[in-house]
Amino acid sequence: MIEKDFLSLERLTRDELEEFFLITDLLRRDSIYQPLKGKSAALIFQKPSLRTRVSFEVGVCQLGGHPIFLSQEGVGIGTREKASDVARLLSRFTQLIVARLYDHEILLELAEYASVPVINALTDLSHPCQILADMYTLRQHGRLAPGIKIVFVGDGNNVVRSWLEMACIFPMRFVLAAPRGYDPDPAILRKVRQSTESTVEIVRRAEEAVAGADVVYTDVWTSMGQEKEMAARKKAFAKFKVTKSLMALAKFDCLFMHCLPAHRGEEVTEEVLEGGQSIVFDEAENRLHVQKAVMARLLGFRYSGAGRATTLRHVAGAGGKR
Ligand code: CP
Ligand code: NVA
């Protein structure tokens, strides 16, 4: 259920996922919609970013709004000012908060105290905007079908968490190939296994995982904030690299995906990243399109109509609880 905020994919329904896709199609097709006209959005970034920052800034502008980028040095959440105060202050000035933070608890605190919608732009726990864009990208490539086999090679990190949350909504066969010690939270694994149509497996050999894969996905071995573990991680993940020979073990038309930025030669070879199966720049571009849909939906705009007579319509109360 979409409520006030977009913090994770966990409570999203399949119908809401489909509506996000339809709003995204509409906003891509037609630039007349300006659901953020006269509105401002605060973008708080504690961590570095290229795609997320630019796609949100451009997206807010394209929807008629005004983005305000706020760095950790400038705001100092948790050091200069409590998250609860930042949330209430920004709610007086802006109509939307987008936050990239280390600690997911701080995101929850922001959402609790903000009277305006809060969007998760990545935390140590999850990256829902990324996976929404990735699903849209698979749909765009005609590959999003129930039972799709997605193999993630690498760390059971924030991106994997969001894939598992997505598996709660969309039926898929999700396989993680990771070394011991880098598995995702057992609670989310249990949730997928016990209460969804999806299956999830964890295997210790990438070669075993990719058989029959529709998608091979990877991400950096060392995420932002884990820099001190880099040497240990390079050693642990050495056998979890996506190479041409690994791709050859998957379906012949298997797609390669990566949230980017990529470390060429580490988690993926240059050849695969730049090869014909790679759709990494479509994923990146779609961040812009789907995030525009998320912002419009949180501000109370709903998809309506059928066929060519479709539109975006403001529905009182559709922006979720305040
Ligand atoms: N994929 C992604 O979120 O990229 P950035 O860290 O550059 O925003
Ligand atoms: N897992 C990576 C994703 C970057 C988009 C990180 O958190 O750094």
Side-chain angles (χ1 to χ4, degrees):
M1 257 287 283
I2 296 173
E3 294 185 339
K4 177 174 80 70
D5 310 296
F6 185 75
L7 306 179
S8 77
L9 300 169
E10 246 176 309
R11 306 201 49 207
L12 203 67
T13 66
R14 181 82 185 272
D15 285 348
E16 288 167 341
L17 175 68
E18 195 52 43
E19 188 182 358
F20 273 138
F21 291 161
L22 294 173
I23 299 176
T24 305
D25 289 342
L26 198 65
L27 293 175
R28 284 183 69 201
R29 201 165 60 222
D30 209 329
S31 56
I32 59 161
Y33 300 106
Q34 301 241 293
L36 268 74
K37 195 169 165 43
K39 299 187 186 338
S40 299
L43 316 182
I44 309 174
F45 278 69
Q46 277 187 333
K47 296 183 180 189
S49 171
L50 174 62
R51 275 145 293 273
T52 309
R53 176 180 174 176
V54 177
S55 55
F56 270 110
E57 285 205 29
V58 171
V60 170
C61 291
Q62 288 183 355
L63 295 181
H66 173 71
I68 303 160
F69 178 78
L70 299 163
S71 67
Q72 173 63 7
E73 296 71 50
V75 180
I77 293 190
T79 51
R80 186 169 184 267
E81 195 151 4
K82 273 168 69 77
S84 54
D85 289 355
V86 172
R88 284 173 289 177
L89 182 281
L90 291 176
S91 300
R92 300 284 179 116
F93 291 143
T94 70
Q95 287 70 43
L96 189 69
I97 298 171
V98 175
R100 168 167 287 198
L101 306 170
Y102 287 93
D103 186 350
H104 195 80
E105 292 298 316
I106 301 287
L107 181 79
L108 299 182
E109 188 177 333
L110 271 182
E112 183 185 342
Y113 285 89
S115 57
V116 301
V118 175
I119 297 177
N120 178 358
L122 180 146
T123 64
D124 289 347
L125 184 78
S126 63
H127 197 4
C129 293
Q130 180 67 53
I131 301 312
L132 197 59
D134 293 339
M135 290 287 283
Y136 184 81
T137 309
L138 289 170
R139 174 178 173 270
Q140 185 181 45
H141 281 264
R143 298 295 291 271
L144 192 62
I148 183 172
K149 181 171 179 181
I150 297 174
V151 177
F152 190 104
V153 179
D155 189 17
N157 61 15
N158 44 5
V159 172
V160 168
R161 165 83 193 197
S162 291
W163 269 120
L164 293 170
E165 290 177 357
M166 182 54 75
C168 296
I169 312 163
F170 190 91
M172 64 176 75
R173 292 157 67 201
F174 187 82
V175 183
L176 171 68
R180 257 175 237 290
Y182 296 93
D183 291 353
D185 173 19
I188 183 81
L189 290 172
R190 258 198 314 276
K191 184 171 173 192
V192 179
R193 286 179 176 142
Q194 289 174 1
S195 55
T196 78
E197 287 175 56
S198 296
T199 62
V200 54
E201 262 182 274
I202 298 185
V203 300
R204 303 299 173 203
R205 283 186 67 245
E207 292 74 12
E208 182 191 326
V210 299
D214 294 291
V215 176
V216 169
Y217 197 116
T218 192
D219 183 14
V220 291
W221 292 339
T222 304
S223 286
M224 292 179 275
Q226 299 172 331
E227 289 76 9
K228 282 193 190 132
E229 301 170 28
M230 193 178 287
R233 284 173 168 270
K234 274 192 182 175
K235 220 167 132 187
F237 288 100
K239 291 191 179 142
F240 295 85
K241 187 194 292 280
V242 180
T243 60
K244 198 177 165 192
S245 53
L246 188 72
M247 289 298 290
L249 300 175
K251 279 190 180 162
F252 76 96
D253 57 353
C254 174
L255 297 171
F256 171 74
M257 300 179 86
H258 191 312
C259 54
L260 302 178
H263 291 170
R264 289 166 160 81
E266 284 193 15
E267 74 274 3
V268 59
T269 60
E270 174 90 20
E271 200 176 21
V272 172
L273 192 73
E274 299 289 354
Q277 290 165 280
S278 172
I279 54 168
V280 297
F281 290 104
D282 292 340
E283 294 179 73
E285 180 189 326
N286 285 330
R287 295 290 305 280
L288 168 68
H289 307 306
V290 301
Q291 287 162 194
K292 283 167 66 179
V294 171
M295 291 189 282
R297 180 66 180 78
L298 291 182
L299 289 170
F301 287 81
R302 304 291 307 263
Y303 179 86
S304 101
R308 294 182 68 79
T310 53
T311 188
L312 202 58
R313 178 169 62 86
H314 190 264
V315 177
K321 291 184 196 142
R322 289 286 184 282

